[in-house]
């Protein structure tokens, strides 16, 4: 759902707004569980790649463009990898080594890097190598942005759905966020974008890919609503592949 005023999905029934909320027919080839894990993450992935100017909708224009996806086996990252490939880009994916087969064989990444073997700064050192860095890992501590100053092309796009602060929204964190945005804009030629909204009108291309079966949908865990606490613990562990969904 597009709203945030008490319109979450942790309920047996949710009232929707046909103009504001993301409502599309469920394709016959998509299960209810998989559908439940598509909306937010798939649209977050697409918005960060195309509407924010990292890649073009025109596949031919993306020839030779290189995308680095950090957190490639997670809910958002798995869609970023697939979408970047569908759009014609070369994809380098970062995840745990145990997920290599999933990221390469299932998602289609061109190059795989295991972050558990050595720091990314040691594995990635080619100057101005990437056109887009999509940091899909929860929590922006600044390390990947710092690395981007070397491996991301000038005017290249660094995008993340994670705010550059810890904890919830507060006056202090909002001030810190504004300061970080300003500092990164002034001190770097690279573009930094934080995904603060996921516009529903941008969903049709994603829905078309899903209906054609071009995007692989992966639901790793489906739990009853009563086990929402367990679902959060799994999510916060950062060790799950694909999506976690709750069944009311």
């Amino acid at each position: 759902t597009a709203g945030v005023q008490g319109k979450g999905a942790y309920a047996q029934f949710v009232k929707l707004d046909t103009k504001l909320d993301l409502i599309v027919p469920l394709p016959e080839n998509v299960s209810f569980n998989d559908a439940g894990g598509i909306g937010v993450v798939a649209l977050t992935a697409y918005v960060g790649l195309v509407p924010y100017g990292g890649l073009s909708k025109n596949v031919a224009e993306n020839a030779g463009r290189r995308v680095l996806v950090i957190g490639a086996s997670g809910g958002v990252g798995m869609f970023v990898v697939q979408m970047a490939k569908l759009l014609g880009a070369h994809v380098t994916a970062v995840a745990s080594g145990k997920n290599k087969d999933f990221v390469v064989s299932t998602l289609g990444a061109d190059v795989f890097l295991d972050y558990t073997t050595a720091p990314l700064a040691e594995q990635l050192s080619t100057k101005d190598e990437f056109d887009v860095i999509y940091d899909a890992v929860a929590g922006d501590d600044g390390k990947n942005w710092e690395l981007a100053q070397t491996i991301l092309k000038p005017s290249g796009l660094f995008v993340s759905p994670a705010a550059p602060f810890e904890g919830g929204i507060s006056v202090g964190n909002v001030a810190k966020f504004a300061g970080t945005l300003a500092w990164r804009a002034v001190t770097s030629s690279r573009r930094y974008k934080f995904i603060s909204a996921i516009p529903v009108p941008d969903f049709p291309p994603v829905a078309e890919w899903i209906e054609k079966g071009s995007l692989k949908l992966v639901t790793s865990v489906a739990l009853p609503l009563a086990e929402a606490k367990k679902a959060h613990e799994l999510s916060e562990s950062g060790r799950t592949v694909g999506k976690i969904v709750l069944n009311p």
Side-chain angles (χ1 to χ4, degrees):
T1 59
V4 294
Q5 291 80 26
K7 292 178 62 180
Y10 288 19
Q12 291 174 300
F13 301 97
V14 179
K15 183 179 179 180
L16 300 177
D17 186 318
T18 56
K19 294 181 179 179
L20 297 177
D21 294 315
L22 184 56
I23 304 173
V24 294
L26 179 67
E28 292 183 1
N29 61 327
V30 178
S31 70
F32 276 97
N33 272 346
D34 283 341
I38 291 172
V40 173
V41 289
L43 191 49
T44 297
Y46 182 77
V47 168
L49 285 175
V50 179
Y52 280 17
L55 297 177
S56 170
K57 291 181 180 179
N58 185 338
V59 173
E61 293 180 10
N62 297 323
R65 292 186 180 178
R66 302 177 73 86
V67 177
L68 173 67
V69 184
I70 303 173
S73 61
V76 175
M78 70 175 186
F79 282 112
V80 177
V81 172
Q82 294 182 82
M83 290 178 185
K85 289 299 299 176
L86 287 170
L87 291 167
H90 178 282
V91 176
T92 297
V94 178
S96 170
K98 65 182 181 181
N99 297 324
K100 180 177 180 179
D101 184 65
F102 169 68
V103 173
V104 176
S105 302
T106 302
L107 303 183
D110 298 290
V111 176
F112 179 85
L113 297 177
D114 182 355
Y115 72 85
T116 68
T117 60
L120 287 184
E122 294 180 9
Q123 300 187 62
L124 295 166
S125 58
T126 303
K127 187 174 177 59
D128 302 339
E129 180 177 2
F130 298 101
D131 299 275
V132 180
I133 295 178
Y134 198 120
D135 187 354
V137 178
D140 176 0
D141 61 6
K143 292 181 180 178
N144 292 333
W145 170 252
E146 183 177 343
L147 176 61
Q149 306 315 299
T150 298
I151 64 175
L152 183 62
K153 294 178 180 178
S155 77
L157 175 68
F158 181 98
V159 62
S160 175
F165 59 75
E166 294 183 357
I169 297 175
S170 65
V171 174
N173 278 338
V174 170
K176 181 180 179 181
F177 179 43
T180 299
L181 289 179
W183 178 253
R184 292 181 177 181
V186 170
T187 61
S188 177
S189 63
R190 281 80 178 171
R191 293 177 293 141
Y192 167 73
K193 293 286 188 179
F194 164 65
I195 301 176
S196 58
I198 45 174
V200 170
D202 286 318
F203 193 71
V206 179
E208 184 177 349
W209 278 331
I210 292 170
E211 191 161 8
K212 288 181 178 178
S214 301
L215 285 175
K216 296 180 177 64
L217 310 176
V218 180
T219 300
S220 60
V221 181
L223 297 170
L225 184 60
E227 294 186 26
K229 182 176 183 291
K230 181 179 179 180
H232 275 271
E233 291 170 347
L234 287 170
S235 177
E236 291 166 12
S237 74
R239 297 294 182 267
T240 57
V241 171
K243 283 298 298 175
I244 301 167
V245 298
L246 293 173
N247 297 149

